[in-house]
Amino acid sequence: MYHQILHDTKKRGIDVSDVKLNLKQMMAAKNTSVDGLTKGVEFLFKKNKVEYIKGSAAFSGENEVKVNLIDGGEQTLRGKNIFIATGSEATPFPGLTIDEKKVVTSTGAIALESVPKKMVVIGGGIIGLEMGSVWSRLGSEVTVVEFLGQIGGPGMDAEISKTTKKILEKQGMKFKLGTKVLKGDSSGEGVKLEVEAAKGGKAETLDADVVLVAIGRRPYTAGLGLENIGLEVDNKGRLIIDEQYRTKLPHIRVIGDCTFGPMLAHKAEEEGVAAVEFVKKGYGHVNYNAIPSVMYTHPEVAWVGQNEAELKEQGVKYKVGSFPFSANSRAKTNLETEGMVKFVADAETDRILGIHIVGPNAGEMIAEGVLAIEYGASSEDVGRTSHAHPTLAEAFKEAAMATYGKAIHY
Amino acid sequence: MRPTRLLFARMSMIKFIGKRVPPNTITPAAPADEPAPHPASPSHSLPDSFINYRSKAQQHGPLGGHNRPSSSQHSSSSSPPPPPSSTNPSHAYGGIGGHSGHELGGVEPGAGRGEVWDRSELPERFGRLAWTEDEIEAVELGGANLRAGWGGS
């Protein structure tokens, strides 16, 4: 909003003067939101008669966990069925000590006390871009250093990734792709990072007030006492489970970030439901091909299903249709014309295989795509569905039309 | 008019099959006794230790849960529940203790006076356990092999 008031409102006929950022108040508002959501979960526990024991737990037996209570003391709990959902933590960068002040993870990045003049983000994945985008819009000079040749991580479609990079660069963010960080020094007032091209080249030094380490997340299972019951993790630290979320001890099931699949809250939510259904009913299901990914930058990026590179690798024949927001009525009116909607459908059957969006409201719009994929829709099914005018959703329909035929308005 | 008529002939790929009703018996993608890899597993396989543990654990009974008859099959107390399949070895061992008595259904004879069941008509869980090869051998040899093994000679 701050960024919009500074850059957009004048064009729309609203003169705002003396715009100031009150970061303390902004953080207080953020804390209120977080507290509200956390208390909401506690309320649901109470409402559904779920006992909430606060502490850190470790397995002391196959059916027993010992809890070190936050309020002091220890409690032993026994369970016929036990679910592990301990989540993940930021992967640290070797050679840089995280202090959550100068060298921060996403946890520290949402609690900075002032806007850093210069910020370097190590890792151009979703978390790095989201946090970098936030501080860039609040006035920080942000440079993203990414080892790979594209931003957004492996799931993002290459064309969408390129478009997103262009948009973010226009907003002032800088990118160093195909670049590796050799070492860092945070002993001085700021942080110095030595970087060089991944393929080898001349090293250079980047200065920053704050360095955000966002090279990925790893499963969090430390202190869980897995060794006490012989549970195994794979080479990435993920707990090994079968298709029913069971570990090798069948009454212990695992869901969420600490096991296979994308590290997303809504994926964990689906798994939680399916795992309980397996216990209670003997069956359950999660469609891993219909889990949406959303990057909350401005504009947002969202996708579901497979991207072009993945389909090429699998040798699947596909067709592509896209529609730019610059040709969409509402996007034009709102002066938010950057980005596009892109469909990838099976060349023979027209079944939708993937949907990729960068642009205004992408995170909300992808829900329609998830539904289409879940129901096994064709691009023609979506293209022949009426979408209200004038809405951003029309771009979605037009992209579907472009996939099986031709978009009307482009 | 022709294009409109063509439109009506178009069939949507989405097919509605009505309300979801779980079938009476669920056939899992893989037998419950054999753990299948998780669909999001990067290797699409389970480690050997995992499978070995499961096959060992199966001997002690906790994994027979998926062979349970559906509740509709034994909701009536007047008829005995169908005996578990004799071809499924998990019932000889893995089924024991895997279900509560209530879940397995009633065993009372019908309301008719003087109606009784023969012992052989009772569900398999009331019958004798199957002999293992080791037990048969132990009986045939009068326990000599056990004694020899126990004595360490």
Side-chain angles (χ1 to χ4, degrees), chain A residues 375-393:
Chain A
Y375 277 67
S378 65
S379 70
E380 191 175 353
D381 286 337
V382 176
R384 291 200 185 276
T385 310
S386 174
H387 287 64
H389 175 77
T391 60
L392 295 168

Side-chain angles (χ1 to χ4, degrees), chain A residues 232 243 247 249-250 283 380-381, chain B residues 10 22 36 49 53-54 63:
Chain A
E232 295 158 74
E243 63 170 355
T247 59
L249 304 176
Y283 57 87
E380 191 175 353
D381 286 337
Chain B
R10 199 189 85 79
S49 57
Y53 179 88
R54 279 295 181 80
L63 301 180

Side-chain angles (χ1 to χ4, degrees), chain A residues 138-188:
Chain A
L138 292 177
S140 194
E141 191 184 300
V142 177
T143 306
V144 178
V145 183
E146 168 59 49
F147 184 79
L148 299 174
Q150 76 163 52
I151 59 165
M156 193 184 283
D157 185 83
E159 191 183 358
I160 296 289
S161 169
K162 262 186 201 166
T163 311
T164 308
K165 182 170 166 270
K166 268 186 203 163
I167 297 171
L168 295 177
E169 274 172 341
K170 254 174 89 179
Q171 290 175 10
M173 281 176 78
K174 290 177 188 159
F175 293 92
K176 285 189 175 292
L177 302 186
T179 305
K180 63 181 172 186
V181 176
L182 299 173
K183 59 183 177 184
D185 178 15
S186 58
S187 57

